[in-house]
Amino acid sequence: MWHNGRFVTALPLDDRGWSLGDALFETILVRHSVPVWLDEHLARLARGCERLGMDYSEKLSAEIAAALQAQPLTCGVLRICLSRCSDGQRGYRPATRRCHRYLQLSAYAVPPRQHWEQGIRSFVATTRLPEQPDLAGIKHTNRLPNILARGERDPVAFPEGLMLSESSAVIEGISSNLFVGAKGRLLTPRLDRAGVAGVARAKVVALAQQLGIPVSEVRLGLNDLYKADELFYCNSLIGLWPVRQLDCFHYASSRLCQQLQKGLESVWYG
C-alpha cells in the first residue's frame, strides 16, 4: 500500500473514506507492469472528484509509475483510492477538499477463458440499487448493495449477477456493466439514476460504433432482457462475458458479443 506517494504498513485515522465512505476508487488491470486504460480511469476519477467536491491530484501518475517500478507485475490489479481528509472534525459536513491518495497493487489471475468463450450463468439479484442522480455514474466507495447482492448466490456457479434499481430498472451487473443485443442493435442501460459508468463500457460503445453496430443508452426493464437475443457483462478486469442463462431463461446467441470480443481480446489475453 502506498499513501500519498510513500510505501506504508499502516493507514491514517484522519480519513473519511473508512468512517463515512467519503471516497472514490478505481480498479485497473495491469499487464506487464502497464496499467490498462490508465488515462481513462484517471479521467473518471477526476470527474468523480469534481462531483463530490474533492481535490484531484496530478501527482497520481508519477506515484503510480513509482509504485509499479518498485513492484513489477506481469498480471495484476492496481487499486486507486482518493479519500477525503477529516481535518480532525467529526460529523457529515466535509471540512476540506483535501484527499489521502492510496495505491494498492496485487497479483491477479485473468478469469477463466471459458467464461469469455462459453458464457456464464447469471441471476437477478433481489437486492436493489438506490436511485441517487447526484452519485450516479461515479465510482464511490459506498458499495453495500453490491456486497449484499454478491452474497445471494455462489460466485463459482454464478460468476455475475444482474442488479435492478429500486424502481425496477435494469442497471448493471454486480461488478460490471451490461449490454443487450436485440435485432442487430446493442443497448445498454442509462446510468443517470444509479450505477457506475465503466471504462470498459465506454470502450465497448466506441468499438461498436467503429464496427457499424447501432448502440444506444436506453431505459431497460426485465421484460426487455427476456425479449433480447443476447446479453453480456463487461468490466476492466474480466473483459466481456456472454450470458448463456439468466435464472431460468436461456440465450442461444452471443453474435454481437463475439464481434466485440475480437476487437478487445488482446487487452486480456494478448
Side-chain angles (χ1 to χ4, degrees), residues 111-174:
R113 192 174 178 106
Q114 69 184 43
H115 292 350
W116 175 280
E117 294 177 345
Q118 300 174 21
I120 64 166
R121 294 174 66 199
S122 187
F123 68 100
V124 179
T126 59
T127 305
R128 298 295 181 94
L129 287 167
E131 295 185 356
Q132 174 47 273
D134 291 338
L135 297 178
I138 64 175
K139 198 162 185 177
H140 54 79
T141 58
N142 293 267
R143 296 291 149 202
L144 280 176
N146 307 70
I147 291 169
L148 292 174
R150 183 62 278 178
E152 292 181 22
R153 299 286 183 92
D154 174 15
V156 175
F158 296 89
E160 183 58 302
L162 176 72
M163 298 197 73
L164 309 179
S165 72
E166 57 193 17
S167 64
S168 298
V170 171
I171 301 297
E172 60 190 2
I174 294 171

Side-chain angles (χ1 to χ4, degrees), residues 180-187 213-216 218 229-230 255-256:
V180 177
K183 298 180 180 179
R185 300 178 62 230
L186 203 59
L187 309 174
I213 301 171
V215 56
S216 304
V218 297
D229 301 316
E230 62 181 287
R255 182 177 63 85
L256 294 179

Side-chain angles (χ1 to χ4, degrees), residues 28-95:
I28 304 172
L29 179 67
V30 176
R31 299 294 306 275
H32 307 291
S33 295
V34 177
V36 177
W37 300 331
L38 177 61
D39 290 344
E40 290 86 344
H41 282 281
L42 293 182
R44 180 173 62 177
L45 195 60
R47 291 193 297 270
C49 285
E50 184 176 353
R51 294 268 294 276
L52 296 185
M54 295 162 53
D55 285 335
Y56 175 80
S57 176
E58 297 294 342
K59 296 178 181 179
L60 273 173
S61 294
E63 291 173 356
I64 290 167
L68 283 166
Q69 185 175 13
Q71 186 180 341
L73 290 171
T74 301
C75 188
V77 175
L78 165 66
R79 190 180 193 274
I80 306 170
C81 182
L82 296 183
S83 182
R84 195 191 308 267
C85 301
S86 70
D87 279 6
Q89 295 192 26
R90 297 185 69 256
Y92 292 143
R93 181 177 177 272

